[in-house]
Amino acid sequence: MELLQEIESYWTTRTEGYSEVNQKELQGMQKKAWLEILETHFPECLKEKLKILDVGTGPGFFPRILAEAGYYVTAVDYTQGMLDKAEENAGEFADRITFSKMDAQDLEFSDDTFDVIISRNVTWNLEQPALAYAEWCRVLKPGGKLLNFDANWYGYLYDEEKRKSYEEDRRKVEQAAFDDHYTCTDIDRMEKIALQMPLSATARPDWDERVLKSSGFEDVTADKEIWKRVWSEEEKLNYHSTPMFMVEAVKKGGAQLKDKREKDDCKERVTSYWTRRSDTFAVQRKDELHSVLARRWMTEIKKYLPRGKKLRILDVGCGAGFFSILLAEEGHIVTGIDLTPDMVINARKLAGEELTREQQEHCNFAVMDAEYPEFEDETFDVVVSRNLTWTLPHADIAYEEWLRVLKKGGILLNMDADYGADDSSDTKGLPENHAHHMVGQELLRESEQIKHSMKITEYRRPQWDLEVLLYAGVRQISVDSSISDRMYPEKDAFYNPTPMFLICARKDEQ
């Protein structure tokens, strides 16, 4: 919620400047170009009958040009200042537009309400873009259409080549004496926000196509050349390194949408829970880094890693960065991802305290959904995870995605436990300094409630995991069910009363 408020605050300060950009578009060639693009992709229907939703309307560019063309539009934005400016910009056409303050990830409309949803430059700025796509699908009528225009706006924060291209854009804009659309804003503040947005580090629109197909859409296509038709020369120079794309998708309709929404609601609850635990969790992981557990874990992990190689490793559900830091200390290139922004913030902080400057350069963190890791196929040599799969609404999808991002012959190491068989709120027999005593009974009870809302709790593990991996095509699998005996021989602050297992799965070479 604090991040959402910071985003709202930022865009409130940007209202006037952003509105001026929209006014330039209304006075230039972009107005006609955008209207042609939209109408070309709208369903065939009388203008006054078409129900259109503009998500993240900003100063109201889309509603203005559509209302002027004879359409009726519902426009939502989370920033009240933007809505006020949008209504002002609508002028004489305001009676054709309904403005509402609303979160793009939690729309207050009934199912199957709209024929078309349009959005521009919004999804990159969402904490849970997959949840937003599920919401947009929910409020679309079956057969309704989504048109989303966006770009990899802050990819340069994660990619050195993109950084060089971005800086070259700045030089060319200055040479042409155009307005620089980046440096005329509070770029430092925006970059800090962008670092907490999962899509900043994502290869798009590949991610969008994949997630839309799993969110109840069909006929999903991406037009990567759309920017050529709608951008002015000034925009083309400003954003040459980040070309805009259009993703188009049609809602299938079906019972699976309700199930998808329920599961994404569960993710939101999980994120809220770990946000409240993030600070104490970070303290515990820092203590663990300086305990005998750190050496023990690395001893176990090294058994499965090829020796003498610098590996690209993905730490899924990294939490406060425990494994990421240990693996970076070993000289590997590590990316840690977690769905909870506060966990990622604490992971970056802890890495800054524990790693050398050189090691920090090879240890990065990003906010990302473990079930939808936004990386290209065959990116990593190793994927590791600890105590995560039991918290996932659809862990089977997660396994498939982790295998997808693994290189051929790559190693998946998942360390978890059959937590569904135990009650974590029962702290009898645990030492006084145990982490569960620090958490408190209220949060422990909530953890139990979340756990039992997950389908995976109904299965016995690791048998279920083996079946899923075999179904996914993995043939080389081993399970170590005695790892707890070596990791937790004494009952101390880190003791895990539920026996853990370690699954090692090797992706086929072919």
Side-chain angles (χ1 to χ4, degrees), residues 158 198 201-204 206-207 210 312-316 334-338 364-370 372-380 383 401-402 404-406:
Y158 294 90
T202 301
R204 304 180 66 194
D206 294 348
W207 177 89
R210 190 166 65 251
R312 288 201 66 182
I313 301 177
L314 175 63
D315 180 10
V316 188
V334 189
T335 301
I337 64 171
D338 203 282
N364 296 297
F365 298 95
V367 179
M368 205 174 293
D369 189 337
Y372 301 105
E374 296 106 24
F375 302 104
E376 300 286 349
D377 295 356
E378 300 178 14
T379 298
F380 297 96
V383 173
E401 282 293 287
W402 300 353
R404 178 185 65 79
V405 302
L406 266 180

Side-chain angles (χ1 to χ4, degrees), residues 479-495:
V479 179
D480 183 346
S481 298
S482 61
I483 189 170
S484 281
D485 296 336
R486 299 187 298 277
M487 293 304 305
Y488 306 109
E490 58 275 311
K491 287 189 176 182
D492 57 12
F494 308 107
Y495 175 69

Side-chain angles (χ1 to χ4, degrees), residues 365-407:
F365 298 95
V367 179
M368 205 174 293
D369 189 337
E371 295 175 355
Y372 301 105
E374 296 106 24
F375 302 104
E376 300 286 349
D377 295 356
E378 300 178 14
T379 298
F380 297 96
D381 301 293
V382 180
V383 173
V384 298
S385 184
R386 177 173 71 149
N387 291 334
L388 173 71
T389 33
W390 70 274
T391 71
L392 299 179
H394 15 59
D396 51 342
I397 291 177
Y399 269 133
E400 291 178 1
E401 282 293 287
W402 300 353
L403 291 168
R404 178 185 65 79
V405 302
L406 266 180
K407 296 177 183 178

Side-chain angles (χ1 to χ4, degrees), residues 219-255:
D219 297 333
V220 181
T221 59
D223 184 345
K224 299 179 183 179
E225 306 291 314
I226 199 73
W227 60 277
K228 295 179 179 179
R229 298 174 58 186
V230 294
W231 276 357
S232 66
E233 291 306 311
E234 181 175 297
E235 286 173 316
K236 289 176 181 176
L237 211 57
N238 261 280
Y239 308 128
H240 182 264
S241 61
T242 52
M244 175 180 281
F245 57 80
M246 177 187 75
V247 179
E248 181 178 12
V250 177
K251 176 177 175 177
K252 289 187 291 189

Side-chain angles (χ1 to χ4, degrees), residues 49-255:
K49 296 291 186 181
L50 202 63
K51 297 196 69 175
I52 304 170
L53 173 65
D54 179 24
V55 181
T57 191
F61 176 74
F62 277 167
R64 167 59 195 252
I65 63 173
L66 288 171
E68 189 174 344
Y71 296 92
Y72 288 87
V73 185
T74 298
V76 301
D77 201 285
Y78 195 73
T79 305
Q80 187 60 50
M82 286 289 187
L83 289 169
D84 294 341
K85 179 57 69 173
E87 191 163 5
E88 177 187 322
N89 291 338
E92 61 186 291
F93 304 103
D95 62 343
R96 288 178 168 269
I97 308 168
T98 301
F99 295 101
S100 296
K101 187 177 188 296
M102 213 172 288
D103 184 352
Q105 301 156 124
D106 186 20
L107 298 174
E108 299 166 19
F109 300 110
S110 299
D111 297 356
D112 307 336
T113 297
F114 297 97
D115 301 293
V116 180
I117 291 179
I118 55 178
S119 184
R120 180 171 68 148
N121 300 336
V122 172
T123 35
W124 74 269
N125 198 31
L126 298 177
E127 291 182 78
Q128 299 187 67
L131 177 61
Y133 273 148
E135 267 294 87
W136 301 358
C137 189
R138 179 184 65 79
V139 302
L140 269 177
K141 297 176 183 178
K145 186 170 286 188
L146 167 66
L147 300 174
N148 185 23
F149 305 88
D150 210 350
N152 292 284
W153 291 116
Y154 289 89
Y156 67 82
L157 296 173
Y158 294 90
D159 187 303
E160 188 56 35
E161 288 303 314
K162 289 181 180 179
R163 165 70 71 175
K164 291 176 182 176
S165 298
Y166 162 78
E167 291 173 349
E168 181 64 18
D169 289 349
R170 310 280 64 77
R171 285 190 288 272
K172 288 182 177 179
V173 167
E174 184 178 8
Q175 291 169 3
F178 283 140
D179 290 335
D180 192 316
H181 295 189
Y182 281 88
T183 58
C184 64
T185 65
D186 188 347
I187 188 65
D188 290 339
R189 188 180 181 192
M190 190 66 254
E191 286 183 350
K192 288 178 182 177
I193 292 174
L195 283 167
Q196 299 178 66
M197 298 296 109
L199 294 187
S200 296
T202 301
R204 304 180 66 194
D206 294 348
W207 177 89
D208 302 74
E209 293 181 86
R210 190 166 65 251
V211 172
L212 285 167
K213 288 174 183 176
S214 70
S215 300
F217 287 95
E218 60 186 356
D219 297 333
V220 181
T221 59
D223 184 345
K224 299 179 183 179
E225 306 291 314
I226 199 73
W227 60 277
K228 295 179 179 179
R229 298 174 58 186
V230 294
W231 276 357
S232 66
E233 291 306 311
E234 181 175 297
E235 286 173 316
K236 289 176 181 176
L237 211 57
N238 261 280
Y239 308 128
H240 182 264
S241 61
T242 52
M244 175 180 281
F245 57 80
M246 177 187 75
V247 179
E248 181 178 12
V250 177
K251 176 177 175 177
K252 289 187 291 189

Side-chain angles (χ1 to χ4, degrees), residues 205-318:
D206 294 348
W207 177 89
D208 302 74
E209 293 181 86
R210 190 166 65 251
V211 172
L212 285 167
K213 288 174 183 176
S214 70
S215 300
F217 287 95
E218 60 186 356
D219 297 333
V220 181
T221 59
D223 184 345
K224 299 179 183 179
E225 306 291 314
I226 199 73
W227 60 277
K228 295 179 179 179
R229 298 174 58 186
V230 294
W231 276 357
S232 66
E233 291 306 311
E234 181 175 297
E235 286 173 316
K236 289 176 181 176
L237 211 57
N238 261 280
Y239 308 128
H240 182 264
S241 61
T242 52
M244 175 180 281
F245 57 80
M246 177 187 75
V247 179
E248 181 178 12
V250 177
K251 176 177 175 177
K252 289 187 291 189
Q256 75 273 23
L257 295 181
K258 181 180 178 182
D259 182 55
K260 169 72 176 172
R261 175 60 186 169
E262 288 174 351
K263 288 174 178 176
D264 283 326
D265 281 345
C266 190
K267 285 185 184 179
E268 192 170 350
R269 186 180 181 188
V270 169
T271 303
S272 172
Y273 171 81
W274 287 108
T275 296
R276 281 173 285 147
R277 281 198 58 183
S278 59
D279 288 343
T280 56
F281 193 79
V283 172
Q284 293 159 11
R285 297 292 74 77
K286 183 178 179 68
D287 290 343
E288 190 177 12
L289 282 170
H290 295 277
S291 75
V292 68
L293 267 295
R295 177 178 54 79
R296 289 176 185 170
W297 275 117
M298 286 312 303
T299 298
E300 297 299 329
I301 290 173
K302 284 181 178 180
K303 293 177 183 178
Y304 302 93
L305 304 185
R307 295 184 180 180
K309 291 184 65 176
K310 190 173 188 177
L311 303 169
R312 288 201 66 182
I313 301 177
L314 175 63
D315 180 10
V316 188
C318 64

